[in-house]
Amino acid sequence: MLTTHLVCAPDDLATPAVVTEWLVPAGVSVLADEPLVRLAVAGEVHIVITPTAGVVLEHCVAIGEPLSASDLLAMIEADEPDFGGLLIPAEDAAENLAVPACRLGYRPSPSSIDPDALAMCAALGIAPDEVPVGERGQLGRIEVERHVRAELRRLAAIRRLLSTDGLV
């Protein structure tokens, strides 16, 4: 199954950055941890690497365009690993769902869902009920973007932890 991965600017950018060079053109296959784009930040050059192997679908920032921390840089279409399905016998369901990792956290249902937000969820392989609703109980594109950025920051923190322990 294919899914779209968002590549965002590092969330620790202290000052606005500028895209100086795309190292991989749109439509080209990349490997995980491959250099993707060069950024100029306070006179220094930084490189953003790909989070996963796949095909670069789109550059979301033009060369010379300024960007801030967590701004969307590119989209990569990648194969989603097949983890398989697990059937739980009905008589064991209550016991298995008592394990916190097996239980979905409660989120209030949105009072309305913006069609753009729904389309974005579908393109990214995210169930709309995974996304926290906004202050007025609505699910819009901004809520989907915030959710994805938060998940990417969590993933980046895990990767940093694993790399400092020599596991990645």
Side-chain angles (χ1 to χ4, degrees):
M1 177 164 95
L2 294 176
T3 186
T4 302
H5 291 261
L6 301 179
V7 181
C8 294
D11 60 353
D12 58 353
L13 285 178
T15 60
V18 175
V19 172
T20 60
E21 179 183 9
W22 282 101
L23 302 170
V24 179
V28 174
S29 295
V30 293
L31 299 173
D33 300 323
E34 186 174 322
L36 177 67
V37 62
R38 287 184 206 273
L39 303 178
V41 183
E44 295 181 8
V45 175
H46 295 271
I47 294 178
V48 175
I49 60 172
T50 58
T52 186
V55 175
V56 177
L57 289 178
E58 179 181 347
H59 297 154
C60 300
V61 181
I63 292 175
E65 188 174 343
L67 61 125
S68 299
S70 301
D71 281 355
L72 182 62
L73 290 172
M75 292 188 280
I76 296 176
E77 185 174 62
D79 282 323
E80 192 67 33
D82 182 13
F83 295 108
L86 178 63
L87 293 176
I88 301 171
E91 60 272 11
D92 295 338
E95 182 180 332
N96 282 293
L97 292 175
V99 177
C102 297
R103 191 175 55 237
L104 290 176
Y106 170 76
R107 292 195 192 279
S109 297
S111 59
S112 68
I113 300 177
D114 180 57
D116 286 340
L118 196 57
M120 189 176 198
C121 285
L124 297 172
I126 299 170
D129 62 352
E130 292 178 44
V131 181
V133 296
E135 292 175 14
R136 288 175 268 173
Q138 299 176 337
L139 179 63
R141 188 176 176 94
I142 190 74
E143 285 80 21
V144 176
E145 289 175 357
R146 284 182 184 143
H147 173 70
V148 169
R149 286 187 179 125
E151 291 298 313
L152 289 171
R153 282 191 293 275
R154 285 197 244 332
L155 180 60
I158 291 168
R159 288 180 94 178
R160 281 192 295 274
L161 281 173
L162 292 174
S163 67
T164 57
D165 290 342
L167 299 174
V168 173

